[in-house]
Amino acid sequence: MIDIKFAYWIPNVSGGLVVSKIPQKTDWTYEYNAQLAQTAEEVGFEYALAQARFIASYGAEYQLEALTTVSALAPVTKKLKLIAAVHPGLWHPGVVAKIGASIDFLSNGRFALNVVSGWFKDEFTIYGEHWLDHDERYRRSEEFIRVLKGLWTEDEFHFKGDFYRINGGWVKPKPINQNPHPEIFQGGNSKAARRMAGRVSDWYFMNGNTIEGVKEQIEEVSALASLEGRKIKFGLNSFIIVRDTEAEAHEVLRDIIAQADVEAVKGFGEAVKQAGSSSREGQGMWANSNFEDLVQYNDGFRSGLIGTADQVADKIRQFYEAGVDLILGGFLHYTDDLPAFGKTVIPIVRELEANRRTDDELVVV
């Protein structure tokens, strides 16, 4: 059974999802995002992720803050799970626990959180926050998550860590119907990120990658989670281009890269370079990304969801069989491409699911 979930990047920052001067049918405003969210849940998306930015980078000059954005989208949607990204160090976990529980209560259990350990040094230093070494940022994030879980599930929570202290804290109302708390996502490719995911996170987000690269991450993180007596789910970032022919889809990709904002891409590359190389083992986010990969700032082209609806659906099936539980999609023309994906590709994926069930039943008979 292909029980894969679909999410989309909320375009809550300006500039779109590619660092390119190519025209994009999208917008960062609330009015646009409210309508987009309603469309997304109508055509089969289950999750939406608001990214967190505080200062301009790679063209993202204007930003709607993520927690505020999902709280505003909650009353205009009915089914969509709303994921907000937050940075430990810029947020205190006690404050986020209270805000998150409130959004969850108001949305009838549709809040989730993406804990981002941080790669953009300037976002911390402009506010006078100390910039921690790579692995220390993940240690802080792990404590952050442990505090969230404690405050969301215990009536009186005590915690004494290296980064946070909670002295009998509590949150009321508690989050509702989330077994036992809102889902917690995280990203990162380093060993520190993978170990943290195995210990505390519910979901592990992966940058765009090949089938083989995805399998390697899933196998390692699953093994680490198993050592803790846990299971974890996996989401994959993908930039999705679906056109009537494969040639048309790849022509769109070539146009995006040909019109890349070279200065902005290089600036982004410099900003993230330390994220991949500063871990102890030199393995991390963007460590192996080239210029073309960085045009989509989470390596979304590398997942290869580019082609006809049938081709993209089949590639999604392959990722599912490799262990991916959720596809996190970004689009060039959100106005057109997101609803088209929901109306064409998602039904094909579900049809593959139905066909597989039918085949299994025939085998049993």
Side-chain angles (χ1 to χ4, degrees), residues 180-251:
H181 52 70
E183 293 174 298
I184 297 173
F185 294 73
Q186 72 154 97
N189 193 46
S190 64
K191 295 293 184 182
R194 298 180 188 204
R195 288 191 291 266
M196 170 187 153
R199 287 192 291 262
V200 295
S201 296
D202 302 310
W203 286 85
Y204 178 71
F205 269 140
M206 300 173 286
N207 264 14
N209 211 332
T210 62
I211 298 285
E212 293 72 21
V214 164
K215 283 182 178 178
E216 180 272 326
Q217 290 182 73
I218 289 174
E219 288 172 0
E220 181 174 344
V221 176
S222 294
L224 290 168
S226 181
L227 291 174
E228 304 291 331
R230 306 180 65 247
K231 290 185 178 180
I232 190 167
K233 296 181 180 179
F234 297 89
L236 176 66
N237 182 63
S238 305
F239 192 82
I240 301 168
I241 304 174
V242 179
R243 296 296 184 266
D244 291 337
T245 68
E246 183 179 8
E248 288 178 90
H250 282 277
E251 182 64 26

Side-chain angles (χ1 to χ4, degrees), residues 139-153:
R139 284 212 310 122
R140 176 173 62 190
S141 291
E142 182 169 336
E143 285 194 10
F144 190 96
I145 291 173
R146 293 188 185 279
V147 171
L148 288 174
K149 289 182 175 181
L151 289 171
W152 280 341
T153 59

Side-chain angles (χ1 to χ4, degrees), residues 13-326:
V13 304
S14 62
L17 266 286
V18 289
V19 190
S20 176
K21 297 178 181 179
I22 192 169
Q24 301 180 59
K25 294 180 183 178
T26 186
D27 193 13
W28 60 273
T29 63
Y30 170 71
E31 292 78 11
Y32 181 85
N33 274 295
Q35 184 176 7
L36 188 69
Q38 292 169 344
T39 299
E41 66 179 4
E42 288 173 5
V43 299
F45 285 85
E46 291 106 334
Y47 292 83
L49 170 61
Q51 59 184 295
R53 286 274 69 82
F54 285 88
I55 62 174
S57 65
Y58 53 83
E61 184 176 2
Y62 297 95
Q63 315 99 21
L64 296 177
E65 189 279 321
L67 283 164
T68 313
T69 298
V70 302
S71 69
L73 292 178
V76 298
T77 53
K78 298 177 181 179
K79 300 178 292 184
L80 207 61
K81 278 283 191 79
L82 300 164
I83 314 168
V86 297
H87 292 82
L90 297 179
W91 289 96
H92 188 281
V95 175
V96 173
K98 183 63 176 178
I99 294 172
S102 298
I103 298 172
D104 193 71
F105 183 79
L106 295 170
S107 66
N108 194 31
R110 293 188 289 119
F111 175 75
L113 197 69
N114 183 34
V115 177
V116 183
S117 296
W119 56 266
F120 194 9
K121 182 178 180 179
D122 289 353
E123 281 189 323
F124 288 77
T125 58
I126 62 166
Y127 294 126
E129 291 294 327
H130 181 60
W131 179 246
L132 300 177
D133 290 340
H134 178 279
D135 287 13
E136 287 296 282
R137 297 200 297 276
Y138 282 95
R139 284 212 310 122
R140 176 173 62 190
S141 291
E142 182 169 336
E143 285 194 10
F144 190 96
I145 291 173
R146 293 188 185 279
V147 171
L148 288 174
K149 289 182 175 181
L151 289 171
W152 280 341
T153 59
E154 298 184 23
D155 292 331
E156 183 177 314
F157 180 62
H158 295 265
F159 185 85
K160 184 178 181 181
D162 293 332
F163 302 95
Y164 302 110
R165 303 284 195 278
I166 305 294
N167 305 308
W170 49 268
V171 168
K172 292 183 181 179
K174 298 285 188 196
I176 60 175
N177 300 324
Q178 295 255 348
N179 297 318
H181 52 70
E183 293 174 298
I184 297 173
F185 294 73
Q186 72 154 97
N189 193 46
S190 64
K191 295 293 184 182
R194 298 180 188 204
R195 288 191 291 266
M196 170 187 153
R199 287 192 291 262
V200 295
S201 296
D202 302 310
W203 286 85
Y204 178 71
F205 269 140
M206 300 173 286
N207 264 14
N209 211 332
T210 62
I211 298 285
E212 293 72 21
V214 164
K215 283 182 178 178
E216 180 272 326
Q217 290 182 73
I218 289 174
E219 288 172 0
E220 181 174 344
V221 176
S222 294
L224 290 168
S226 181
L227 291 174
E228 304 291 331
R230 306 180 65 247
K231 290 185 178 180
I232 190 167
K233 296 181 180 179
F234 297 89
L236 176 66
N237 182 63
S238 305
F239 192 82
I240 301 168
I241 304 174
V242 179
R243 296 296 184 266
D244 291 337
T245 68
E246 183 179 8
E248 288 178 90
H250 282 277
E251 182 64 26
V252 172
L253 175 61
R254 285 192 292 272
D255 288 345
I256 292 170
I257 294 171
Q259 298 182 56
D261 186 331
V262 175
E263 183 178 348
V265 174
K266 288 183 176 178
F268 174 64
E270 288 298 315
V272 302
K273 184 184 297 181
Q274 54 78 34
S277 62
S278 64
S279 62
R280 293 178 184 177
E281 68 285 350
Q283 172 187 337
M285 301 279 275
W286 302 287
N288 301 310
S289 302
N290 60 31
F291 178 89
E292 293 185 1
D293 295 329
L294 294 173
V295 174
Q296 203 294 303
Y297 41 82
N298 281 100
D299 290 339
F301 301 148
R302 297 177 74 179
S303 297
L305 297 190
I306 300 167
T308 66
D310 285 321
Q311 289 172 326
V312 169
D314 188 64
K315 190 66 176 289
I316 290 170
R317 175 192 61 79
Q318 295 176 54
F319 278 124
Y320 175 78
E321 291 177 353
V324 173
D325 300 290
L326 177 147

